[in-house]
Each structure stands twice: as structure tokens, then as C-alpha cells.
């Protein structure tokens, strides 16, 4: 140690600098480790942090368990409890005191189990039992799922509740087994063997709810880990809570943090496929609507073209022409009658003004001749109009549907009574009605 005389007071450092140097030395040279002792002076703060002193016969150590780490622990800390804690040392600079930052807490008995767990895990990992390349994919949509668990536990109820809520369609076969205590490991292995002998499962789920390390220990037994790894059917291990790890988790093809998470994993692709099916149905309906709109538009255009070329339209036009000619004939007749009446009135006036008999006879003869001319002109006009009407009627009859049928044509109609004008709309097996001159017959399309 250097002598005080060899150092000058000007070379001094502050308390904070000294404390930081101490902290640097402690955190650098003291690696995280397990420390065993007895809990005392336990204090739980409203923030969720837990403070306590870990002591033995020789010394004591200030410890802190921060909120998130405290929430993960399964040990019920209390004064006088013998525990093993894992963490690392740190210095609280404002007070210049060091404390142990705990990350995990186990009861003393659990410490031995943890050591046994690590040894067995290393052994099985060395054999390749946990290798990633031997993991099999979980079936995307399993129809039958076998579950190894206690049928009376809350885990299976949570599992089934999630499947029901997510409307999963499949079958769940519960294979009862003890999942805690003596003989539970043999029960789990026997349940797996029964499932394999049955051969009807596409996926196996090994599950139980949370608990202490002792409660979950049956899933750390070597026979269970080997049975899970040797299963010919893919296995999901859903044991404990998120912070709990067992050897069956490592040996299984997939680990689920909880039984609920296992149910969500199984149904995830099912829900995705259902969503895709709904979207496909929407797209299909939209496509059908678009096709229907297109065909409706085409049908409307065909109806318009048919209305323009149908014989009924020609007949209606002829009828309008006939009505027009009849009106003109009536107008011409009335005009000629009015003109004759006017002439007759003038003649009568002239006759009244000229009284000689001869003149009267001549006028009578002229009047008779005029009447004959009027009658002859009227008859000729009527004859011309009748001839025109007869020609138009003949032309109308020549283009009528009945005359078309008489010339050897036939009209084809489908089962809805619509006229078929194109071969493209027909397919083999369609039934058609053919209209001939003397009636209607039914026929079937053999080929198009």
C-alpha cells in the first residue's frame, strides 16, 4: 500500500468517484451466481419492488427483487425462509452501499431440483434430443387433437374455452393422466402410448397449469422427455406459465407458454383460412354481380334490337299507315262533298235567277252530269284508296310471322319463352319449343 507521504492531497478524488471505482471493480470481477441464505427484514413496496436481507451465521447481504422479476417468481417469500437466489452485485452510489440484484428465487429444496434439471438437460441435449432439425411442423389444420392432462384441472377448461371462442372445428380427445406428484411421469408416458396405439390423433398437446418447480417436476423426468421426443405424432408442450420451462418443452416439436397459448396456436391458421374464405366469398360475389350486370346490359341491347326487327313492329307501322290513309280518305270525301254542295248551291241560285224552262232543263242536265262526274270521281278515288289498302295489306301479310312459318321457317324458343337467335347460347340437353305453321313441338339439343 503506498505511503500517505508519497501522495499529495491535491491528488485526492471525490467520494462519488471512489464509489464508482468500487462499483466498477465489483461488477467486473463478481460474475452472476447462486447465493444461499435465510430471508429476513422482508419489505414489499407499493412500486412492486421487494427488499430483504439474505443472511447466514457468518454474514448478511442486502438484496432487491425488482417488480418484473418479482412477478415471475413462484416462491412465497417470507422471513425465515431458506432460499437460493440468482443474480449479480451492484453498488447503490447515493448511499455507497452494495446490494445483490436478484433475478430468480428458489427454495433450498428447489435448488437441488434446479441443479438436477440442468444436469439432465445437458445430458439430453448432448444426445441431440432437443436439436432443432428433428422438430416437426405443427399441422396447419388438425382435425383430431389428443390432450394429455388432468381432466379436472383448470388448464383443460381454459384450453377448451379458447377453442370454442375461436369457433375451431375439430375433435379433442382428452387422455387422462396425473400431472403432479408421485407416479405422474409414468401416467404421462402411458397416456402417450395409448394415443399412439389408437393412431387417430394428428396432434398431441401435453399440458398443465402453473405451479412450483416441484409441482411441474414430472415434466422434467427423463422418461417423459424421451417419450415426447419419440412420439410419431407432433407434440406441443404447454406446461406452466410463460416463465416456466420444462424438459418436455425442449423435447416437444413446439412449446406454448400456457395451455391458452396452445389453443391459440392450434386455431391460428384455422382463423386465417376462415378470413381468407370470407374474403374469397366477397370477391366471388363481386365477380358474379359484375358478370350479371354485363349480361343484363347485353340482354337489354338484344331486346331493343329484337323490338326493332320483330314483325310486330312492321305490323304496327302498317296499321299507323292505314289509319293515316283512312283519315286522308275521310278528309277527301268530306272536301268533295262540300265542294259539290257549294256547286249545287250556286246552281240553285242561278236557277232561281233564270226562270225559263229550257234553261231549267239544261241546268238540270248539267247538274245531273255534274252529279255523275262527282259520283264517278268519288268512286274512282275510293277505288284507288281501296287498291292502295289492298296492296299494303298484302305486303303486311307477306312479312307476318304466319306467312314466314308457311314458307318453311320455324321459331325456336327456350323454356322461358324467349326467342333463341344464336347457337352460342345453347348447350347439349337444353329443351326448345319450335313454332311451325300448324303448331308447336318440343325438341332437345344434342350437340352445339
Amino acid at each position: 500500500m503506498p505511503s500517505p507521504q508519497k501522495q499529495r492531497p491535491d491528488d485526492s478524488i471525490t467520494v462519488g468517484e471512489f464509489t464508482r471505482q468500487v462499483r466498477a471493480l465489483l461488477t467486473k470481477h463478481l460474475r452472476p451466481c447462486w447465493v444461499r441464505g435465510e430471508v429476513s427484514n422482508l419489505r414489499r413496496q407499493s412500486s412492486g419492488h421487494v427488499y430483504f436481507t439474505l443472511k447466514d451465521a457468518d454474514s448478511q447481504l442486502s438484496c432487491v427483487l425488482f417488480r418484473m422479476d418479482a412477478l415471475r417468481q413462484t416462491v412465497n417469500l417470507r422471513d425465515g425462509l431458506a432460499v437460493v437466489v440468482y443474480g449479480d452485485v451492484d453498488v447503490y452510489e447515493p448511499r455507497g452501499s452494495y446490494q445483490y440484484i436478484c433475478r430468480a428465487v428458489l427454495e433450498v429444496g428447489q435448488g437441488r431440483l434446479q441443479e438436477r434439471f440442468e444436469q439432465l438437460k445437458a445430458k439430453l441435449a448432448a444426445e441431440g434430443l432437443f436439436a432443432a432439425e428433428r422438430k416437426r411442423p405443427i399441422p396447419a389444420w388438425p382435425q383430431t387433437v389428443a390432450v394429455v392432462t388432468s381432466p379436472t384441472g383448470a388448464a383443460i377448461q381454459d384450453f377448451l374455452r379458447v377453442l370454442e371462442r375461436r369457433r375451431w372445428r375439430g375433435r379433442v380427445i382428452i387422455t387422462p393422466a396425473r400431472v403432479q406428484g408421485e407416479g405422474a411421469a409414468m401416467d404421462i408416458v402411458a397416456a402417450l402410448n395409448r394415443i399412439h396405439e389408437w393412431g387417430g390423433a394428428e396432434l398431441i398437446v401435453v399440458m398443465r397449469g402453473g405451479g412450483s418447480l416441484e409441482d411441474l417436476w414430472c415434466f422434467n423426468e427423463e422418461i417423459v422427455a424421451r417419450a415426447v421426443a419419440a412420439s410419431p405424432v407432433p407434440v406441443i408442450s404447454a406446461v406452466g406459465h410463460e416463465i416456466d420451462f420444462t424438459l418436455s418443452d425442449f423435447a416437444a416439436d413446439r412449446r406454448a407458454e400456457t395451455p391458452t397459448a396452445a389453443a391459440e396456436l392450434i386455431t391460428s391458421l384455422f382463423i386465417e383460412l376462415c378470413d381468407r374464405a370470407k374474403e374469397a366469398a366477397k370477391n366471388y360475389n363481386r365477380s358474379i354481380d359484375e358478370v350479371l350486370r354485363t349480361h343484363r346490359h347485353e340482354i337489354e341491347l338484344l331486346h331493343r334490337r329484337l323490338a326493332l326487327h320483330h314483325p310486330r313492329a312492321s305490323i304496327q307501322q302498317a296499321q299507323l299507315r292505314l289509319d293515316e290513309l283512312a283519315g286522308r280518305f275521310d278528309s277527301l270525301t268530306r272536301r268533295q262533298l262540300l265542294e259539290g254542295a257549294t256547286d249545287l248551291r250556286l246552281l240553285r241560285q242561278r236557277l232561281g235567277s233564270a226562270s225559263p224552262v229550257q234553261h231549267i232543263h239544261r241546268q238540270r242536265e248539267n247538274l245531273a252530269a255534274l252529279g255523275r262526274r262527282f259520283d264517278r270521281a268519288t268512286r274512282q278515288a275510293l277505288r284507288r284508296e281501296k287498291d292502295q289498302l289492298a296492296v299494303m295489306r298484302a305486303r303486311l301479310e307477306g312479312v307476318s310471322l304466319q306467312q314466314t312459318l308457311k314458307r318453311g321457317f320455324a321459331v325456336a324458343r327456350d323454356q322461358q319463352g324467349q326467342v333463341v337467335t344464336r347457337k352460342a347460347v345453347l348447350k347439349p340437353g337444353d329443351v326448345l319449343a319450335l313454332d311451325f305453321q300448324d303448331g308447336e313441338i318440343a325438341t332437345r339439343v344434342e350437340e352445339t
Side-chain angles (χ1 to χ4, degrees):
M1 179 177 178
S3 171
Q5 289 77 16
K6 294 182 180 180
Q7 291 188 348
R8 295 179 302 169
D10 294 341
D11 295 331
S12 64
I13 60 176
T14 65
V15 174
E17 291 173 343
F18 180 78
T19 303
R20 283 190 287 275
Q21 290 182 10
V22 171
R23 181 183 185 188
L25 288 172
L26 290 178
T27 55
K28 178 179 180 180
H29 295 287
L30 293 178
R31 309 307 300 168
C33 60
W34 289 93
V35 179
R36 184 173 62 253
E38 181 181 305
V39 176
S40 64
N41 299 322
L42 180 68
R43 304 184 309 281
R44 300 182 187 273
Q45 302 296 331
S46 58
S47 61
H49 306 324
V50 179
Y51 296 90
F52 61 94
T53 301
L54 195 65
K55 66 179 182 178
D56 60 9
D58 299 321
S59 186
Q60 62 182 17
L61 175 66
S62 296
C63 300
V64 59
L65 188 63
F66 290 118
R67 178 176 178 272
M68 296 307 298
D69 293 319
L71 291 175
R72 289 196 294 266
Q73 307 308 315
T74 59
V75 176
N76 182 22
L77 286 177
R78 59 189 182 277
D79 288 336
L81 182 66
V83 296
V84 179
V85 298
Y86 180 82
D88 49 11
V89 71
D90 198 1
V91 174
Y92 183 55
E93 294 184 10
R95 292 184 180 178
S97 59
Y98 74 92
Q99 58 186 355
Y100 199 71
I101 311 300
C102 300
R103 305 300 179 188
V105 180
L106 300 174
E107 293 189 38
V108 170
Q110 288 182 322
R112 292 190 296 270
L113 289 177
Q114 186 67 32
E115 182 179 0
R116 181 180 170 190
F117 171 84
E118 296 296 340
Q119 293 174 352
L120 189 55
K121 177 183 175 183
K123 171 186 174 182
L124 297 180
E127 295 180 13
L129 209 68
F130 307 150
E133 55 270 16
R134 59 163 295 278
K135 306 287 186 181
R136 292 161 297 185
I138 300 304
W141 195 342
Q143 298 300 306
T144 303
V145 177
V147 180
V148 178
T149 189
S150 170
T152 59
I156 186 62
Q157 301 302 323
D158 294 340
F159 178 81
L160 296 176
R161 192 177 300 111
V162 172
L163 294 183
E164 181 179 1
R165 174 170 53 83
R166 295 166 74 96
R167 298 181 180 179
W168 179 73
R169 295 181 180 89
R171 186 168 56 155
V172 177
I173 305 298
I174 301 175
T175 307
R178 285 178 293 174
V179 291
Q180 179 178 342
E182 186 177 355
M186 296 300 298
D187 263 17
I188 295 171
V189 174
L192 289 173
N193 291 334
R194 289 198 301 272
I195 294 172
H196 300 155
E197 292 173 0
W198 171 50
E202 301 172 43
L203 177 66
I204 298 175
V205 181
V206 179
M207 72 165 67
R208 72 147 284 159
S212 65
L213 183 61
E214 290 92 341
D215 295 337
L216 305 180
W217 187 255
C218 59
F219 294 95
N220 292 319
E221 295 287 355
E222 183 175 355
I223 58 172
V224 173
R226 292 188 182 278
V228 169
S231 172
V233 179
V235 178
I236 295 176
S237 178
V239 178
H241 297 303
E242 182 179 357
I243 62 172
D244 298 320
F245 280 89
T246 65
L247 294 182
S248 66
D249 293 336
F250 297 106
D253 297 288
R254 188 73 174 267
R255 174 187 181 258
E257 292 84 356
T258 61
T260 299
E264 292 173 349
L265 174 64
I266 292 171
T267 57
S268 57
L269 186 58
F270 169 76
I271 292 178
E272 178 184 349
L273 292 176
C274 287
D275 293 340
R276 289 171 57 187
K278 291 178 182 177
E279 186 63 27
K282 292 179 182 178
N283 294 335
Y284 175 78
N285 290 333
R286 284 195 291 266
S287 300
I288 291 297
D289 291 341
E290 184 64 28
V291 171
L292 289 176
R293 281 194 295 269
T294 302
H295 285 306
R296 287 194 191 100
H297 180 67
E298 293 177 352
I299 291 172
E300 290 175 359
L301 293 178
L302 290 174
H303 275 303
R304 294 173 185 171
R305 293 177 57 188
L306 179 62
L308 292 175
H309 296 86
H310 197 279
R312 186 185 301 109
S314 300
I315 294 174
Q316 291 174 348
Q317 292 296 322
Q319 289 174 343
L320 293 175
R321 178 62 176 166
L322 182 60
D323 291 341
E324 181 184 0
L325 292 176
R328 290 174 60 187
F329 175 76
D330 292 340
S331 178
L332 178 61
T333 302
R334 285 193 298 270
R335 186 169 64 251
Q336 289 179 344
L337 288 173
L338 289 173
E339 290 175 355
T342 302
D343 292 342
L344 182 61
R345 185 170 59 256
L346 291 174
L347 288 174
R348 284 177 178 174
Q349 290 175 355
R350 292 175 63 184
L351 181 61
S353 61
S355 58
V357 176
Q358 188 65 29
H359 182 71
I360 292 174
H361 286 311
R362 279 199 307 272
Q363 292 298 331
R364 284 178 178 175
E365 290 175 357
N366 291 336
L367 183 60
L370 183 60
R372 286 191 297 272
R373 288 173 56 192
F374 175 75
D375 291 339
R376 188 165 49 251
T378 301
R379 286 193 297 273
Q380 288 176 354
L382 289 174
R383 190 178 300 112
R384 285 195 300 272
E385 293 296 334
K386 288 181 179 179
D387 291 343
Q388 290 181 2
L389 289 175
V391 170
M392 293 191 68
R393 188 180 299 277
R395 290 174 60 188
L396 289 175
E397 291 178 352
V399 298
S400 67
L401 176 60
Q402 192 63 26
Q403 290 297 327
T404 301
L405 296 178
K406 286 181 180 181
R407 290 197 297 272
F409 292 95
V411 177
R413 302 179 188 274
D414 58 21
Q415 290 179 316
Q416 287 73 38
Q418 301 297 322
V419 176
V420 179
T421 60
R422 294 189 300 144
K423 181 183 72 173
V425 301
L426 298 177
K427 60 181 180 299
D430 286 350
V431 177
L432 299 176
L434 298 181
D435 292 336
F436 293 94
Q437 175 190 356
D438 56 347
E440 176 185 296
I441 65 170
T443 183
R444 186 183 300 275
V445 178
E446 295 295 337
E447 62 179 354
T448 61

